[in-house]
Amino acid sequence: MALRRIVKNVTSSYVNITQIPVRRQGMLFLSTVDAAKTSEEPADVRKPVAPPSYRHIYPEFLPDPKMEWRNDIREKLERKDMLMRRVEIDIPEFYVGSVLAVTFADKHAQSKSNRFVGICIERAGCGLRASFILRNVIDNQGVEIKFEMYDPKINKVEVLRLEKRLDDHLRYLRDSPPEYSTFPLDMEPEPLPEDAQVPVNKIQVPLKPRPWLERWERQNLQGIQELDLPDKFFKRAEELATPWEKYDLVKEYRKTIPEEDQQEIYAEVYSELHQLEISRRKMKRKKVFTKPKKTG
Amino acid sequence: MNQADVTKLVSKLRIPLKPSPRNLKSPQGPQGRLDKLRKTVTGLFKYERIELNYNRADEARGYAERLISEAIRHGDSHQQTMEMANFWLMEKQLIHKLFKVFVPRFQNSNQSYTRMLNAPRPYPGEKFKKSVLELRGNPFPSLTPELGYNRNLLHNVLLEEARKEFRATKLTESTAESSNVKEGS
């Protein structure tokens, strides 16, 4: 398995090979005659180049960086299915720290559908298995639901508050006072002006006294207040810290998809996603126009 | 299932990479592994061709290529790249060499920046595979045979003579034709 992966990396990395028939979509436009001219050919002649923000808005389109689990054909088919699902429902742009409302089919509910509002504390998975966890406190009970983004049972995903936080995950909300995870179930959406940058909420959440679910002092969290712990905890955290990891270039490489591959993947899906974005923006504007709110 | 990290953009490596890292045993553990690789990468940049065991060479190759690709991508005024170069290159004049020699040498190339070759294992001796790790464009004579045109090989000598003969006959034919034409007119 590893040997096959090595062979694949060798052949796909050399640009000037003309005899090997190339399977990847990005190279399908090359023929043996035109191969010499690829370096001078402009990028947008054959296929569109997606804007660099796409990797933040649609991170689940990138495959799993673990080499043993990569499979070009499966990834292509998954992307196709993802686009087909996105045509049906609008899965908006959101980040960890945004407040979402998800309407999903629930066979146990009277009206067969249910709505959950919560703050996104984690985003995981890639491809069709991309998921996110929403947290809320209902009747003094913390509730978290893990939704799969491409689950056919999901009817609607609305972003009530679009914002980012200082950390990649907000699991520490489980050990913080409930007011930081409580959001009213009938919360109104807070729209941002179009083309505005996503705001970063620099809030520093206090934590309840120990015991905690995880050792938060050992994780480099920016979004929590200074921890009031005895020195021995911080000493132990220092002992277990791995400061050399930030210099480990190859480890970093194994966790990412290189830019060239990213561009190929997003170029594949760009035109469809862009069309969907435009049509949804138009529909939004129409809605705002035709439904004025009652006052008084 | 993991989600790919999108905070940083990296250039694609043009060498085969194993799916998992090698441990490289050392008493300091993972930090010792990186220290060993630092020494190897420093040696490679200093001497441009080094001979060492296969496993360490293969590991160091990835780091050398990544360092050069980061230097090409970001240049020498980028703080994180400078810190990375400062960590990996233990002799500080090599940082200058990286940005002033290797970056201009490799920035327009489509190939890998390093070359790894198998080396003979001394017998009797340790059973570790040996290899030579070198940077492309190094000033030393090539280790691989140059399979270019060798005019002293017998078949090339004969072909060259045949070409000369052909050109000579062609020349006589054309001069004969032009003289016939002149006579005719």
Side-chain angles (χ1 to χ4, degrees), chain A residues 54 58 83 86-87 269-283:
Chain A
Y54 263 43
Y58 307 107
L83 286 174
R86 275 181 182 263
V87 166
V269 298
Y270 171 63
S271 46
E272 278 212 49
L273 284 174
H274 192 58
Q275 288 300 315
L276 289 170
E277 272 174 30
I278 293 171
S279 56
R280 262 148 206 163
R281 229 179 281 175
K282 278 190 194 159
M283 275 162 59

Side-chain angles (χ1 to χ4, degrees), chain A residues 107-144:
Chain A
K107 60 183 177 184
H108 303 294
Q110 196 73 21
S111 58
K112 298 296 177 194
S113 109
N114 205 342
R115 187 171 186 264
F116 187 74
V117 171
I119 183 169
C120 176
I121 62 170
E122 207 173 23
R123 273 189 85 159
C126 52
L128 287 168
R129 275 174 273 186
S131 63
F132 57 95
I133 303 179
L134 295 185
R135 178 181 169 80
N136 205 338
V137 173
I138 296 169
D139 289 344
N140 291 330
Q141 173 65 53
V143 177
E144 287 180 14

Side-chain angles (χ1 to χ4, degrees), chain A residues 97-262:
Chain A
S98 310
V99 182
L100 307 188
V102 175
T103 317
F104 55 97
D106 187 0
K107 60 183 177 184
H108 303 294
Q110 196 73 21
S111 58
K112 298 296 177 194
S113 109
N114 205 342
R115 187 171 186 264
F116 187 74
V117 171
I119 183 169
C120 176
I121 62 170
E122 207 173 23
R123 273 189 85 159
C126 52
L128 287 168
R129 275 174 273 186
S131 63
F132 57 95
I133 303 179
L134 295 185
R135 178 181 169 80
N136 205 338
V137 173
I138 296 169
D139 289 344
N140 291 330
Q141 173 65 53
V143 177
E144 287 180 14
I145 304 185
K146 182 174 185 176
F147 292 104
E148 297 203 6
M149 275 166 84
Y150 295 91
D151 189 352
K153 294 195 296 298
I154 291 181
N155 293 335
K156 198 176 185 189
V157 180
E158 301 159 79
V159 171
L160 303 176
R161 186 188 301 162
L162 179 62
E163 64 179 14
K164 292 189 201 182
R165 293 276 200 120
L166 296 170
D167 299 307
D168 292 332
H169 66 82
L170 296 176
R171 293 195 299 270
Y172 52 78
L173 290 178
R174 296 167 185 161
D175 284 325
S176 59
E179 53 264 26
Y180 294 92
S181 320
T182 320
F183 299 90
L185 294 176
D186 54 358
M187 186 169 162
E188 291 291 330
E190 296 161 20
L192 288 173
E194 263 193 49
D195 297 336
Q197 248 198 343
V198 177
V200 180
N201 189 349
K202 298 194 178 168
I203 188 171
Q204 306 242 281
V205 173
L207 296 184
K208 293 193 282 197
R210 280 185 78 247
W212 294 328
L213 286 163
E214 284 179 53
R215 294 180 192 272
W216 306 117
E217 76 276 9
R218 291 186 192 172
Q219 301 178 26
N220 217 353
L221 297 169
Q222 307 298 316
I224 53 173
Q225 282 177 10
E226 229 179 87
L227 297 169
D228 191 18
L229 289 174
D231 273 340
K232 64 171 185 179
F233 288 97
F234 297 110
K235 278 197 184 147
R236 185 68 181 141
E238 264 182 47
E239 279 172 35
L240 295 172
T242 54
W244 57 85
E245 251 189 50
K246 67 171 185 271
Y247 299 115
D248 199 332
L249 290 162
V250 176
K251 187 166 192 164
E252 183 185 59
Y253 184 80
R254 287 200 179 99
K255 283 188 191 162
T256 57
I257 305 287
E259 191 188 7
E260 290 86 339
D261 289 353
Q262 278 193 23

